[in-house]
Amino acid sequence: MAHKFTHHVLAAVLCGATGFASAQAWPSKNVTIVVPFPAGGTTDVLARAVSTKLSAAIGQPVIVENKPGAGATLGAAAVAKASADGHTLLMGAVHHTVATSFYKNLSYSFEKDFAPITTVALVPNVLVVSAKAPYSSVNDLVAAGKASPEKLSYGSNGNGTAQHMIGTQFQIETGAKVLHVPYKGSAPLTTDLLGGQVDMSFDTITPVLPFIKDGKLKALAVTTAKRSSTLPDVPTLQEAGIPNIAIGTWFGLLAPAATPRNVVARLNTEVVKIINSPEFRKQMQDIGAEPVGNKPEEMARQIKEETEKFAQLVKAGKVTLD
């Protein structure tokens, strides 16, 4: 009996030592934050804002790697399959809660294959058109979409992204028919928007804000329930007469699901410190983002709720890819 007791005590001590060792060992090499969009978009901007400060905090280089494609699912799939040691992270976004219902053959489960770390920021989406376009209000766009079905077009960051879903709900609520044009990210989308290749977009504020300020793009409405503090004179879609649309884009860090809890906890602590710093908050204010910095379990609840919400919208809009 004493032998068994000693064996159990020794096993417990060894497990504790292993947990302590993993906490001490991380990070033992470069940490990579995978951004599932090209450089230049909001996801990329936020990842780089976090990476420099996180590198200083943990004493290892933090590298941002862009893996765009398939509505942000290619990058997510790569992280889901990566070693669960805390050295490969995903800058995920609301888009991934859409993809769960939109893509029928995903190689991963966003709810089951990732360990949430923290939501970094919330960024309002804004309906914009080129300054040269003949549209001055949301009503102008609705009228055009009804008069000439699918002659009017809107760009998104890809099939199954939040921008795609906002465009889908815009059509459901207004009866306007607008052609969807998917891109791999904000940078190529904004280029075509400025050049007139697409008529409008529902992108996040960050990539279009400089062009709004320069007068090259017109902001007609924000898609959130409340006005943006960055664009206080721009009405919400609800104020513009389109009910039920209240969608913004959140961005947050996640690790592969089997990542040790102590590593996830350490990452949460360090990243939340960064998010709460005056310098980071000023950076967010400059790009129209609202810093968050919540707990892993709060982010997990957010993912669950939004996955369910977008499943209903995907079904209502009859938009899926096999």
Side-chain angles (χ1 to χ4, degrees):
M1 188 73 180
H3 174 72
K4 287 185 178 179
F5 178 77
T6 304
H7 175 76
H8 288 310
V9 170
L10 180 59
V13 169
L14 287 173
C15 285
T18 302
F20 179 76
S22 67
Q24 292 297 100
W26 184 90
S28 59
K29 58 183 180 180
N30 294 352
V31 172
T32 298
I33 299 177
V34 173
V35 170
F37 289 108
T42 307
T43 320
D44 184 70
V45 170
L46 291 176
R48 294 180 192 280
V50 169
S51 65
T52 304
K53 297 174 181 62
L54 182 58
S55 177
I58 65 176
Q60 288 282 0
V62 178
I63 299 163
V64 173
E65 182 179 351
N66 298 89
K67 284 184 175 291
T73 63
L74 291 184
V79 176
K81 297 170 186 174
S83 297
D85 57 9
H87 292 98
T88 305
L89 310 175
L90 174 72
M91 182 58 81
V94 66
H95 314 298
H96 294 105
T97 63
V98 178
T100 298
S101 299
F102 188 83
Y103 292 93
K104 295 302 181 183
N105 295 311
L106 285 180
S107 62
Y108 65 88
S109 165
F110 193 57
E111 287 190 71
K112 296 178 181 178
D113 293 338
F114 290 92
I117 296 168
T118 189
T119 306
V120 175
L122 288 167
V123 185
N125 292 66
V126 56
L127 170 54
V128 290
V129 298
S130 169
K132 300 175 184 177
Y135 313 110
S136 299
S137 69
V138 174
N139 285 337
D140 289 346
L141 290 171
V142 173
K146 288 181 175 179
S148 302
E150 295 199 341
K151 183 179 179 182
L152 196 69
S153 61
Y154 78 97
S156 78
N157 282 0
N159 287 311
T161 58
Q163 294 97 325
H164 183 190
M165 290 298 99
I166 294 169
T168 298
Q169 191 171 8
F170 179 86
Q171 294 178 82
I172 291 172
E173 299 293 342
T174 64
K177 299 297 182 184
V178 189
L179 178 67
H180 174 228
V181 182
Y183 289 81
K184 287 188 176 181
S186 294
L189 165 57
T190 304
T191 298
D192 277 7
L193 186 62
L194 290 166
Q197 280 74 39
V198 287
D199 297 302
M200 56 197 257
S201 81
F202 298 93
D203 210 344
T204 48
I205 283 181
T206 305
V208 297
L209 186 58
F211 301 103
I212 294 171
K213 289 181 176 180
D214 288 345
K216 295 178 180 178
L217 291 177
K218 291 184 286 189
L220 302 185
V222 293
T223 69
T224 42
K226 296 180 180 179
R227 292 193 182 197
S228 165
S229 58
T230 306
L231 298 171
D233 296 329
V234 177
T236 66
L237 280 174
Q238 293 184 4
E239 289 174 331
I242 302 178
N244 303 323
I245 298 182
I247 300 174
T249 300
W250 59 261
F251 302 85
L253 280 174
L254 304 99
T259 302
R261 290 185 181 181
N262 48 26
V263 174
V264 172
R266 170 84 189 280
L267 276 163
N268 175 268
T269 297
E270 298 298 348
V271 176
V272 170
K273 282 181 186 177
I274 291 167
I275 292 169
N276 289 331
S277 69
E279 183 184 355
F280 188 86
R281 287 184 169 272
K282 176 63 168 60
Q283 279 183 284
M284 295 302 98
Q285 182 181 357
D286 290 343
I287 64 172
E290 301 171 13
V292 180
N294 55 6
K295 297 177 181 178
E297 56 269 27
E298 291 172 329
M299 186 181 180
R301 187 163 56 248
Q302 169 187 316
I303 288 170
K304 184 177 186 300
E305 291 172 355
E306 298 221 334
T307 299
E308 293 170 355
K309 178 181 76 174
F310 282 116
Q312 295 175 2
L313 183 53
V314 166
K315 184 177 180 180
K318 298 179 180 179
V319 285
T320 59
L321 283 185
D322 294 328

